[in-house]
Amino acid sequence: MTEITGLRVLVVCVCLAARINGQVKPQPEQVHLSATGNVTEMIVTWSTFEDTPSMVQFGTTKPDQNATGSSTKFVDGGVLKRAQLIHRVKLTGLTPGTKYVYRCGSDEGWSPLFFFSALKDGTDWTPRLALYGDMGNVNAQSLGRLQVAAQGGEYDAILHVGDFAYDLDSDNGTVGDEFMRQIESVAAYVPYMTVVGNHEYAYNFSHYKNRFTMPSYDSNQNLWYSWNIGPVHFVIFSTEVYFFTEDSKQTKVNQLKWLEEDLKEANDLKNRTERPWIITLGHRPMYCSDIAGDCTKRVSIVRAALEDLFYKYGVDMEIWAHEHNYERLWPVYREKVYNGSKDAPYTNPKAPVHIITGSAGCRDRHGIFFLPKPWDAFRAIDYGFTLMQVINKTHLAWQQISDDKHGEVIDKVMLIKDKHGPEAWL
């Protein structure tokens, strides 16, 4: 073998090794689902590291239908400028409540066969939801239990309330890639709906904006949106516009305008009758009893910006994360507790109910509680996540699952509301 021929063989071997080691490969990975708000649709999102067609094959018994979409090139802001293609395909014509199998990719490489159930139609059913924030690539302690339940059909959707991977941009984006591969075990089976958190701030939140596909992707790249499921109107927004200055002034104005318009529309008599539950999700809480954070301040930035607005439009429940623990509050407004009654505090309360669910598990471990506040009802540092069942238009149940205690329910409450909207506070 000549020296030149040997060099050519070496180059070919290096190139093949690079493909095998994952530097360049066409196989789809990081597959995840998201809802659009239309129960006959589902969006499939995934990544490849070279340009390939964007196709999904799907069907009720075998993947015998084809759907096509498009891809966008995403370049990480780190020094290596690592690039990947993020593919999006919208499945349409789904039958509500029906189970489908699917795979994504192209003849250049297909994903494994996954499955999901299209969301049910109407408002007369009981959505089952898992909620948590602050789950990292390292110490994602709750993931195994979530995987078993998601693949077992126990959830209709998952809501991740900010802070992913720790962080999506770390190590030139490779930590984000690994995290997205990890959550594929749940996110490829149920809609994985997201909220932006402070750990997504790098490069003006570019990883969060590019990696996910929420109902607002085309308009503001996932930062805020609303979404209906059963008798619930979810309102998802960014608390980070109040803390990061890059592009935040106009973004803050735009979000506030959108929030008021969305809440006003949700309170239209017809809309509030059909979907009486209004639940907001934002990353940094208004109230908490941790040793540090905006939520411990006498004048919280988030509380000052949004508490009166949410009260004005009769928001029933406010879900938060950021603090690495679980905390349930009494119904509270302007630091005053408004329980329904002494014996039944969550029956017809006169203020919104706040829940902090940031204990899914991450490298920063547990949060540390300080002295309890007057609005504290229950708190725990166990790793775990929240389950919510919206039973009907008047009853909503939630449980806190402890992964430390092998799936034990450590907190369980029923919220009962005979009235919704601002008149419920009277």
Side-chain angles (χ1 to χ4, degrees):
M1 181 183 293
T2 67
E3 184 176 347
I4 293 176
T5 302
L7 181 60
R8 286 174 178 167
V9 171
L10 178 61
V11 170
V12 170
C13 289
V14 169
C15 290
L16 288 174
R19 287 176 180 269
I20 292 170
N21 290 331
Q23 299 302 310
V24 181
K25 58 182 181 180
Q27 282 74 25
E29 60 173 68
Q30 309 176 39
V31 180
H32 53 288
L33 301 172
S34 54
T36 68
N38 182 335
V39 294
T40 68
E41 299 176 344
M42 191 72 74
I43 292 179
V44 186
T45 305
W46 72 94
S47 292
T48 59
F49 288 89
E50 63 180 57
D51 197 3
T52 61
S54 305
M55 299 176 58
V56 173
Q57 296 180 335
F58 68 104
T60 54
T61 56
K62 59 181 180 179
D64 55 4
Q65 302 178 57
N66 294 315
T68 60
S70 61
S71 64
T72 56
K73 185 177 182 180
F74 170 54
V75 180
D76 169 63
V79 294
L80 297 184
K81 303 300 179 187
R82 292 178 66 251
Q84 61 184 280
L85 280 299
I86 298 181
H87 303 256
R88 295 177 172 86
V89 173
K90 181 187 290 186
L91 308 185
T92 61
L94 304 176
T95 301
T98 299
K99 188 173 181 178
Y100 289 86
V101 295
Y102 75 99
R103 61 183 170 223
C104 56
S106 70
D107 287 340
E108 297 181 35
W110 289 100
S111 74
L113 198 64
F114 300 108
F115 57 85
F116 70 89
S117 291
L119 293 172
K120 296 177 183 178
D121 200 6
T123 61
D124 191 20
W125 62 285
T126 301
R128 301 160 302 167
L129 308 157
L131 304 98
Y132 54 84
D134 303 82
M135 188 164 71
N137 170 250
V138 174
N139 191 34
Q141 186 160 325
S142 299
L143 188 58
R145 202 170 300 281
L146 289 162
Q147 175 183 344
V148 171
Q151 294 182 16
E154 295 182 28
Y155 309 142
D156 296 295
I158 290 175
L159 296 103
H160 189 142
V161 196
D163 282 7
F164 305 78
Y166 285 72
D167 295 337
L168 292 169
D169 65 289
S170 293
D171 195 12
N172 293 284
T174 59
V175 170
D177 292 336
E178 183 56 34
F179 177 78
M180 298 303 292
R181 294 181 192 115
Q182 283 179 289
I183 65 166
E184 184 181 85
S185 62
V186 295
Y189 298 90
V190 296
Y192 201 86
M193 310 304 285
T194 61
V195 181
V196 69
N198 59 294
H199 274 269
E200 287 70 73
Y201 77 94
Y203 317 123
N204 196 21
F205 301 90
S206 66
H207 276 264
Y208 176 79
K209 290 176 178 178
N210 282 275
R211 289 181 182 273
F212 297 104
T213 314
M214 296 301 109
S216 66
Y217 174 76
D218 290 333
S219 58
N220 62 50
Q221 293 187 286
N222 309 319
L223 291 181
W224 58 81
Y225 61 96
S226 58
W227 171 59
N228 296 327
I229 181 171
V232 186
H233 180 71
F234 281 115
V235 181
I236 290 85
F237 65 97
S238 170
T239 56
E240 304 317 298
V241 299
Y242 300 105
F243 298 92
F244 292 96
T245 58
E246 187 174 359
D247 192 38
S248 69
K249 184 176 181 180
Q250 190 58 47
T251 303
K252 180 166 60 177
V253 171
N254 292 342
Q255 177 178 261
L256 189 61
K257 180 181 178 183
W258 174 84
L259 276 170
E260 179 123 34
E261 291 173 351
D262 187 85
L263 289 168
K264 183 177 181 180
E265 182 179 355
N267 271 280
D268 173 84
L269 180 60
K270 179 177 181 296
N271 293 334
R272 195 85 200 231
T273 300
E274 288 183 354
R275 290 187 168 87
W277 295 102
I278 295 181
I279 300 174
T280 62
L281 296 102
H283 182 62
R284 302 198 201 207
M286 292 184 186
Y287 296 89
C288 70
S289 57
D290 276 27
I291 60 172
D294 174 65
C295 49
T296 64
K297 295 177 180 177
R298 184 64 179 81
V299 182
S300 156
I301 296 172
V302 177
R303 199 191 315 164
L306 298 173
E307 184 174 32
D308 287 348
L309 179 70
F310 290 172
Y311 183 85
K312 173 183 176 181
Y313 287 103
V315 170
D316 299 292
M317 179 175 284
E318 303 178 27
I319 307 293
W320 315 93
H322 190 60
E323 315 304 327
H324 298 168
N325 47 49
Y326 170 75
E327 191 166 6
R328 167 170 57 85
L329 278 61
W330 300 120
V332 62
Y333 174 60
R334 291 192 175 183
E335 302 187 48
K336 184 177 179 181
V337 171
Y338 288 92
N339 289 346
S341 68
K342 182 179 180 180
D343 296 329
Y346 295 100
T347 297
N348 297 317
K350 303 302 181 183
V353 175
H354 295 246
I355 301 291
I356 300 170
T357 177
S359 59
C362 67
R363 71 185 183 199
D364 293 342
R365 307 294 169 174
H366 296 298
I368 300 174
F369 286 119
F370 194 55
L371 296 174
K373 301 289 186 177
W375 52 78
D376 272 322
F378 181 90
R379 54 189 194 171
I381 62 169
D382 294 34
Y383 288 118
F385 54 93
T386 303
L387 294 181
M388 177 187 292
Q389 290 192 53
V390 189
I391 297 171
N392 52 37
K393 295 182 178 182
T394 58
H395 289 64
L396 183 154
W398 76 86
Q399 302 175 346
Q400 183 65 11
I401 308 301
S402 169
D403 195 72
D404 291 345
K405 295 182 174 64
H406 311 291
E408 179 183 327
V409 177
I410 59 172
D411 189 37
K412 184 177 181 179
V413 174
M414 180 79 73
L415 175 60
I416 301 173
K417 298 196 69 170
D418 298 319
K419 289 183 179 181
H420 296 268
E423 60 271 21
W425 309 146
L426 302 178

